[in-house]
Amino acid sequence: MEYFILKIARLLRESGINVNSRETSDCIRLLKMLDLDKMDKYTFYQLINTTLIKSPWGLDYALWLIELYFGPDLEMLSDHLGILERRGRFSPEDGQGGSAGKTVPIEMLIEAVLNNEIDLIYVVLQGLHLHLDINLEHREKSLAKFQTQSGWTKAANHMENAFRQAELTAEEYQAARQALEEWNNLLKDEIERQLARNMSSEHLIQEMKKRNPRTVSFLDCDDAQIGQMSQEIQKIGRKLAVRKGRRRKVGPNGTISLNRSIKHALKTCGTPLNLIKMQRKQSKPDLWLLCDMSNSVSKFIYFMLMFVFATQQRYANVRSFLFVDQLVEATDYFQEQDWTGSLSNLRKVSSYNRTGYSHYGNVLLQFFDRYLPFLPKKTTVLILGDGKNNRNRLDGSEVLAQIKEKAAALYWLNPLSKDQWDKGDCLMTKYQEYCTGAFSVSNIEELEQFLNSL
């Protein structure tokens, strides 16, 4: 069991969760205090979550990982399956649908959907022993096969027909659709579990990264992960907000400045009576944001703006600009309402999108004409976008050079990986030449790496 915990710790580290040797040691020490004869998978994943993961979202993450190895709750399955077999719901006859010779109890599943009994559906799925025999690249085909074998397709058709014939109210139909969606998610999870069991540890690590809020891509996250990622973003923002800047001043504490100490000693003919110490000074620069509002990067902009709001006390002044093909200042919009509400209603800001296609050249030229003369020297300019100029001749790179020269710093954060910067209509390789720094920030982990590099 100790070896298994070491393996879990290694997988967690490689999937982006920081697990140190002390936490691993705590997990093993706590394991030895438990009765292994009474150990079930739920006790084990709680052990993993409280010692190795330690995060609000870790419970589901740990459960998914442990189920890959332990499988479903055998006691619960045997109880429920015994009831189903006594009722004749499962039979050894072939040709009745399902898998491994099991008959799909379609009437019971329809009733479970109507009653939102997802746990019963889960038990039936485990009893069917659905088996994946399709290549990794064909997840959609695998899902369609599992939908047919498990009875999902028949249940979904039944709900549609019942609603059309007025046998279900609108509320009952919506509740049934939600239950069917949860059933569908169970099938997707089963596909991923079987792929993880059958494939290499590298594949398992990639699947773990997709479920880790810190390593999943901003552009690929689902609705369920947005809340988890938002918590992580705000946590990073709060840490940065109280971190002292890099500017230094003379103070009673801090590191010794050899140059200043020698200069001060010249007043006493070279005798170093006093050592001059330098300590970090809280610096509050201005921050100007230029945010690409294209649909392809909308989730990325949402998280980046959330991060900026979480760190607002770090900046003396924040000005925000939105664009697709036209530049519009949205500073007043963000100041007039609660930031959570303003993020949810960003699309209400108008006039930044006329053609529906990004035009960085036009936007940067507008910034040059309207705002560059008023750009303070202490301002940090941050551009958030994918750098796709849709093959427009005007690219605005010369404006970037002038922004960099006038501002304290010009940084560009791009949600695309660097191997995508030269493909299609993306001009990031050209744009980064005129920036203080250009970074690929596709997830929270890379955002932290960018902040640590400043």
Side-chain angles (χ1 to χ4, degrees), residues 32-169:
K32 293 180 179 179
M33 298 170 63
L34 300 175
D35 187 352
L36 295 181
D37 293 334
K38 297 181 180 180
M39 174 78 70
D40 58 20
K41 72 173 182 179
Y42 300 106
T43 304
F44 190 76
Y45 84 70
Q46 287 173 350
L47 170 68
I48 296 296
N49 185 54
T50 54
T51 56
L52 299 183
I53 300 181
K54 298 180 180 178
S55 64
W57 47 265
L59 199 63
D60 293 337
Y61 190 85
L63 177 60
W64 174 81
L65 179 60
I66 298 306
E67 281 193 339
L68 287 177
Y69 294 94
F70 285 86
D73 190 321
L74 298 180
E75 183 178 353
M76 181 183 72
L77 280 180
S78 60
D79 291 344
H80 283 78
L81 290 178
I83 295 173
L84 295 178
E85 288 175 355
R86 286 194 296 273
R87 292 179 181 178
R89 297 297 189 178
F90 285 108
S91 71
E93 300 177 4
D94 294 328
Q96 299 295 319
S99 179
K102 299 291 185 180
T103 300
V104 178
I106 188 63
E107 294 181 1
M108 176 177 284
L109 288 172
I110 290 174
E111 185 178 349
V113 169
L114 292 173
N115 295 329
N116 197 29
E117 295 177 328
I118 304 302
D119 56 342
L120 179 58
I121 295 175
Y122 175 76
V123 170
V124 172
L125 293 181
Q126 296 300 327
L128 290 173
H129 301 296
L130 300 174
H131 179 66
L132 186 67
D133 56 3
I134 301 179
N135 292 334
L136 178 63
E137 293 80 7
H138 300 101
R139 276 184 171 83
E140 293 184 1
K141 291 183 179 179
S142 302
L143 180 60
K145 180 179 178 181
F146 276 11
Q147 286 175 341
T148 301
Q149 290 182 342
S150 68
W152 184 95
T153 303
K154 287 185 178 180
N157 291 336
H158 175 85
M159 298 305 162
E160 294 292 338
N161 293 332
F163 181 64
R164 282 197 297 266
Q165 297 172 12
E167 297 175 5
L168 293 177
T169 65

Side-chain angles (χ1 to χ4, degrees), residues 294-295 324-325 352-358 390:
S294 303
N295 290 331
V324 173
D325 51 15
Y352 60 76
N353 183 10
R354 294 184 178 179
T355 66
Y357 299 97
S358 301
N390 288 292

Side-chain angles (χ1 to χ4, degrees), residues 235-246:
K235 188 189 304 182
I236 296 172
R238 288 191 294 268
K239 288 181 180 179
L240 181 64
V242 299
R243 192 174 76 183
K244 292 185 178 180
R246 292 184 178 273

Side-chain angles (χ1 to χ4, degrees), residues 152-214:
W152 184 95
T153 303
K154 287 185 178 180
N157 291 336
H158 175 85
M159 298 305 162
E160 294 292 338
N161 293 332
F163 181 64
R164 282 197 297 266
Q165 297 172 12
E167 297 175 5
L168 293 177
T169 65
E171 292 78 10
E172 291 173 334
Y173 175 72
Q174 289 302 323
R177 293 301 307 173
Q178 184 176 355
L180 285 168
E181 182 62 27
E182 293 187 42
W183 182 353
N184 198 48
N185 290 335
L186 290 177
L187 296 175
K188 291 179 181 179
D189 290 343
E190 182 60 28
I191 290 173
E192 297 302 332
R193 274 195 289 269
Q194 292 195 27
L195 287 173
R197 290 192 189 105
N198 298 334
M199 307 302 287
S200 63
S201 59
E202 288 77 11
H203 172 74
L204 175 57
I205 291 168
Q206 291 303 316
E207 291 302 318
M208 291 173 68
K209 286 183 176 181
K210 293 178 183 178
R211 295 171 183 266
N212 183 352
R214 292 180 53 80

